[in-house]
Each structure stands twice: as structure tokens, then as C-alpha cells.
Amino acid sequence: MLTLFSFLAFTGFVAIYSTWMLRKQNLATQDGYFLGGRSLTGVVIAGSMLLTNISTEHLVGMNGSAYKNGAIIIAWEVTSAIALVIGALYFIPKYLRMGLTTIPEFLEKRYDKMTQALISLLLIISFVVTLLPIVLYTGAINIESIFGISETLGVTQSEGIWLTVVVVGVIGAVYAIFGGLKMVAYTDTINGFGLLIAGLLVPVFALWDIGDGNVIDGLVKVFNNAPEKFNVISKEPSIGPGSRDSILPFEVLFTGLIINQLYFWTMHQSIVQRALGAVSLKEAQKGLLFTGILKILIPLVIVLPGIIGFYYFGDTLFDSQDSVYPELVKRVLPPWMTGFFVAVIMGAILSTFNSALNSAATIFSLDIFKVYIKKSAQEGQLVRIGKWVSAVLAIVSILVAPFVANAPEGLYQLLQQLNGIFFIPMATVIIAGFFFPKVSAAGAKAGLVFGLGFYILMDLILQVNIHFVHIWGIEFVLNLLVMHLVSAQFPMKTPFVMVDSGKLSIVPWKYATTLGWILIAITVIIYVILGTIA
């Protein structure tokens, strides 16, 4: 009863508060619905960016991977801080100066409408094929495991998970369809702080239990039990550091990983859309850099519990690593906390899910419908189209979700491998748009097509013995080469000139550069310290 009460209390508070905050907002306009009226502040942006990123594929997937492989997977998180610094100091000032609503909009300005349309379609496909189904499925695993939905309803576990997927998907769609970006941002901010609190309580309660009332003693016991689990540099001599069977070689930090991080934190629509909705450049930079601070802290929530799980369970769950986190939660959290925790889990699922739906709706409405289907569409019609797109994508994602079960290396690893199909080709096109002025529209399209084919061939068809993140790095270089070769044959007719839209203040935050360097230094220090552990 306490579990159910705390779940309903927190979930209800989030819904009521966000609805009340939206009572005077005009959601019928393009900027109002898709960009929150360009009124988001730094704290709201950071909370929303964090929770858009962190969901159950992290809580379940990364903790499961940490249980099996150790802290080496911390690279997915702490290196994000470096990408966020680059985004705050370089990319966001340019996006806001141009007054962008979507990233594909930049590609139309820089290249042509066809490049914009291709990227827009790929983004929408990537949401439906990779992110949304995995978020729903991992969330269903967690809720089913903790709440015992199947036992309560007297159905099989698979039926319980399926039912949870449907319910969560419908609720997330309602948030995205009727509230727009600002509703998403408000709910994200509250749930984001809830996630940090509840997520930190899991390792704290566990270490308190292990250390007989002393958290530090508990951490020492966990470390002494398996010190190699805390090392962040791969040591897999029997496999080989660059093998596709290695979980995450240290060397990938210098090949494909930084390209992936740059794309996700500075070019991925569902993330960057929060910063595009900022009231000013100053607040956008605060949002990105505050997110960088949170990303450095977040391994305490999505990596450390997995290592603690190894202390409790040994290697008994290696064949079902994605069940480790739910089992740990059930073991250490008191009943009165469990409902609150599941409510936060629900919030994390909804955040990522409805954020992706909102971004997909934004892209389709503004970059496809208005450009190719009905150029004369008014703002009200674009908002209505966005709502219908959100509904359709939600239904498709719910149907796809059950098919991502039983990933051999865990659900988070599966998500990253599938993301590689889309992220690196799109990142190459956007990066070339900023840094290589001679790359033409023809070159961009050639690089995009080549990149898609290269990764699918190398990683999914031939399955070459190279780690998929290294393949990202190779692909990035080859994409640029192809783009320059094609551009030499089909050069740009007129050079691209960035024009100031004058839509908002682009005065930078005076502490942005200083905080950026501090975040980079902390990232390096983490690797120096944890890289020397046995």
C-alpha cells in the first residue's frame, strides 16, 4: 500500500505542477509548441537534457553492463562533458544566431532542401527503430520486476511487460501531444531531480547495508571484492583491445566515441531542441554546462550500482545482466521508497519517450510537411500535424518494443550499435557544414549514403573483427574523403554565409569558458585516477 501511495503521490504531483505551469502558455504557435516559446532557462534546459538522455536503457542497460564488465563503460558518460563544452562554446552560439528551430533547418541553409529532407527522415527512422522501443522495453522490465505486474494481474511475465509498454507509451504520447516542448521540459526538470535523488539512494542504501551502517566501509568492501571492476581502461588481452567482442576499448576515446558524443550533445534534435528553446545564449550555455556537471556525477547512479550488484550476486546473473538493477532495487530499497522510485523510473521513461516524439513531430512538421507537402501551411496546422505524427510514432514504437528483447551484449550496447547506423553519417554532414566550406550539397549527400552503407556492411553484414566504435572513426574519415572528392567534381555554386536572425540575445555567459575548462580537467582527472586501479 505504501509503495502504491508514494508512486501515485509523486506521479500526480509532476502532472499537476507541469499542467499548472502551462496554464497561460500559447501552444498554438510554432515557437510555443515546438520550442517552448523560446523561454527556457539554464536550469530547466539542464534538467530536461539530462532526463531526455538518461532513461531506463541507462539504469537497466548500463548498470547491467557495469555488473558484467566494470567501470570501463563510464566513457559513455564522462566524455559527454567534453562534447557539451564544445556545444556550449561553439555550436549553440551559431545555432541561436541563425534562429534555428531544427538542426535539419541548418542543413537546408548550408546545402539544399534534399539534404535537409534526407537527414530529417533518418532522424525520424532512428527514433522509431532504436531509441523509442528500447526505452519502452527497458522501462517495462524495471516496472514489471519491481511492481510484479504479471503476478498482480495473473498473467505471464511477457504479457505483463507488453501491457506495461502499452500503458507507458500511451501516457508518454499524451504528454508530448498535448503539452508540447514546454510540458516536456517542466516534467523533465522535476523528474530529473527525482531521478538523481532516488538513483543515488540505491547505492547509498546498498553500501550502508554492506558496510553495516557505514557507507565508506561498504564501498571499501565492494572495491576489495573486485578492484578490477573499477578500472576504466580495458584490459582484455585474450580478446584484443580493438576486437568487436571487447565491450569498450579505451582507444575508442580517440577514434569514434568523441564523434558520437559530439553528434548526440550538439546535433541530435531531441537534445539540442532544449537549447534552441532558450530565452538567450547565456541561458543556453548555462544549460549545456550544467548538464556537463550532471553527466560527470551520473555514473554514481548508472554504473556504481551495477558494480555493487556484482558484490551481491557474483556472476550468477551474467546470462541476464539486464535484470541486475531491478534485483538490486528490490533488495535494498525500503517499501515506502519503492513507489517513489518507480514513479521516477516512469518519469525517466516518459521524458526520453515524449522528448523524442516531440522532436520527431517538430522535424516532420517544419522540415518535411511545410517544405514538401504544403508550403502554405499556417502555424496552427503545423501544430496539428505534429500532434498526429507523435501519435503515429508512439503506436509504431509500442509495436516494435517487444522485439528488442534478449540483446546478447545488453540493451544499452544494442542501442549504441544501432545508433551508429544513423549518427556518424549525419554527424559528418553537419560537421563538414561548419568546418569545410568547400563541401557541396552533392558531396554531403554522397557522404551520407556512403556512411550508411559502410557501417551496415562492416558491422552488421561482414561483422569484421573491429570494435563498432572504431568503425565509427574509420567511417567518419572515409565519409569526409568521399564528400571532398565528390565536391571537387560538383562544387558549390555560391558560398554559404551565416546570417544573424536577431531572434534573441546572443551575449555569451561570462563564466562559460572557465567552467568549460574545469569540466574538461575533471574528465581527464577521472581517467588518470581510475585508470591506475588494478
Side-chain angles (χ1 to χ4, degrees):
M1 182 61 69
L2 280 174
T3 298
L4 182 61
F5 175 76
S6 56
F7 170 78
L8 293 176
F10 186 76
T11 303
F13 168 73
V14 172
I16 293 169
Y17 174 79
S18 54
T19 303
W20 182 77
M21 291 293 289
L22 238 67
R23 69 195 188 284
K24 295 182 180 179
Q25 299 297 320
N26 183 3
L27 301 179
T29 65
Q30 176 177 309
D31 279 357
Y33 186 79
F34 296 120
L35 286 182
R38 294 190 188 269
S39 61
L40 304 184
T41 59
V43 172
V44 173
I45 291 168
S48 187
M49 288 182 83
L50 178 71
L51 212 59
T52 298
N53 170 231
I54 300 298
S55 190
T56 45
E57 81 275 12
H58 290 78
L59 290 169
V60 173
M62 284 198 74
N63 275 307
S65 186
Y67 160 75
K68 189 172 183 178
N69 305 291
I72 186 169
I73 60 165
I74 200 176
W76 291 116
E77 298 307 306
V78 295
T79 58
S80 298
I82 296 175
L84 284 158
V85 171
I86 296 171
L89 300 182
Y90 180 82
F91 287 99
I92 287 301
K94 289 179 168 48
Y95 293 157
L96 296 184
R97 182 175 288 113
M98 288 185 282
L100 299 182
T101 304
T102 68
I103 299 303
E105 187 181 345
F106 163 70
L107 298 175
E108 180 192 0
K109 297 174 184 291
R110 172 61 177 83
Y111 298 115
D112 59 15
K113 289 185 177 180
M114 181 59 71
T115 306
Q116 176 202 36
L118 289 172
I119 293 291
S120 298
L121 287 172
L122 286 175
L123 275 169
I124 294 172
I125 292 170
S126 73
F127 288 146
V128 177
V129 172
T130 61
L131 180 61
L132 294 174
I134 290 179
V135 166
L136 285 178
Y137 186 76
T138 52
I141 290 175
N142 228 335
I143 294 173
E144 157 65 25
S145 177
I146 296 171
F147 260 167
I149 302 295
S150 56
E151 294 179 11
T152 303
L153 298 178
V155 298
T156 65
Q157 187 178 52
S158 61
E159 290 172 338
I161 291 175
W162 171 256
L163 180 62
T164 307
V165 164
V166 173
V167 172
V168 173
V170 170
I171 295 173
V174 169
Y175 270 115
I177 292 169
F178 296 104
L181 180 65
K182 202 151 191 176
M183 168 70 88
V184 172
Y186 280 135
T187 55
D188 286 357
T189 302
I190 304 169
N191 283 316
F193 288 111
L195 176 67
L196 283 176
I197 295 169
L200 285 171
L201 285 177
V202 173
V204 167
F205 277 122
L207 294 175
W208 181 274
D209 174 55
I210 294 168
D212 297 319
N214 189 307
V215 173
I216 301 301
D217 286 349
L219 183 60
V220 171
K221 286 183 179 180
V222 171
F223 176 82
N224 289 334
N225 178 62
E228 71 281 358
K229 293 285 184 182
F230 287 83
N231 195 293
V232 296
I233 298 178
S234 176
K235 295 179 180 179
E236 302 173 284
S238 62
I239 297 177
S243 168
R244 68 181 290 115
D245 297 323
S246 177
I247 192 66
L248 193 68
F250 174 71
E251 296 80 7
V252 301
L253 270 68
F254 309 101
T255 57
L257 185 60
I258 191 61
I259 305 300
N260 176 78
Q261 301 290 53
L262 273 176
Y263 172 77
F264 187 80
W265 290 106
T266 70
M267 306 169 199
H268 194 282
Q269 180 66 29
S270 69
I271 295 294
V272 179
Q273 191 165 337
R274 280 102 193 92
L276 297 181
V279 68
S280 65
L281 172 59
K282 177 181 176 180
E283 293 301 319
Q285 289 181 319
K286 284 182 183 179
L288 266 69
L289 295 172
F290 291 167
T291 306
I293 296 172
L294 296 173
K295 290 297 286 183
I296 287 175
L297 296 174
I298 209 68
L300 297 174
V301 175
I302 61 177
V303 175
L304 180 58
I307 299 174
I308 293 172
F310 185 78
Y311 177 91
Y312 276 120
F313 309 119
D315 60 3
T316 59
L317 298 177
F318 269 18
D319 292 334
S320 56
Q321 65 187 58
D322 290 319
S323 67
V324 168
Y325 191 68
E327 290 297 322
L328 182 66
V329 169
K330 286 195 295 184
R331 179 164 185 154
V332 304
L333 280 189
W336 64 270
M337 275 289 303
T338 305
F340 167 65
F341 183 80
V342 174
V344 170
I345 293 292
M346 176 78 82
I349 303 165
L350 295 177
S351 170
T352 303
F353 188 74
N354 57 29
S355 295
L357 288 181
N358 182 262
S359 295
T362 304
I363 291 167
F364 183 86
S365 298
L366 303 184
D367 295 333
I368 296 177
F369 185 82
K370 186 172 177 58
V371 175
Y372 290 97
I373 300 174
K374 190 174 182 181
K375 295 180 181 180
S376 61
Q378 300 300 307
E379 290 190 349
Q381 184 176 14
L382 292 174
V383 170
R384 288 194 298 274
I385 290 295
K387 291 179 178 180
W388 277 108
V389 169
S390 294
V392 171
L393 294 185
I395 293 170
V396 174
S397 301
I398 290 170
L399 296 174
V400 172
F403 295 100
V404 303
N406 303 318
E409 293 299 331
L411 289 167
Y412 189 77
Q413 195 80 346
L414 172 65
L415 175 64
Q416 296 298 344
Q417 283 185 277
L418 292 175
N419 280 341
I421 299 173
F422 307 99
F423 283 10
I424 305 303
M426 292 190 288
T428 311
V429 170
I430 297 169
I431 289 172
F434 281 107
F435 295 101
F436 299 100
K438 292 186 178 180
V439 171
S440 65
K445 288 190 277 287
L448 191 61
V449 173
F450 173 83
L452 289 168
F454 178 82
Y455 182 80
I456 292 172
L457 176 67
M458 297 291 284
D459 190 61
L460 303 180
I461 298 176
L462 297 180
Q463 297 186 350
V464 295
N465 192 30
I466 302 174
H467 194 275
F468 70 90
V469 181
H470 282 318
I471 294 177
W472 291 351
I474 296 168
E475 177 190 344
F476 177 72
V477 174
L478 292 179
N479 284 352
L480 287 176
L481 180 61
V482 168
M483 292 167 73
H484 278 88
L485 290 174
V486 172
S487 296
Q489 295 298 315
F490 303 95
M492 291 183 64
K493 296 179 180 179
T494 56
F496 169 67
V497 178
M498 191 176 297
V499 178
D500 189 341
S501 68
K503 287 188 177 181
L504 74 169
S505 169
I506 53 172
V507 176
W509 184 35
K510 62 181 178 180
Y511 301 113
T513 302
T514 302
L515 181 54
W517 280 112
I518 290 173
L519 288 174
I520 292 171
I522 292 173
T523 303
V524 173
I525 290 169
I526 288 172
Y527 268 90
V528 170
I529 294 175
L530 295 183
T532 58
I533 293 175

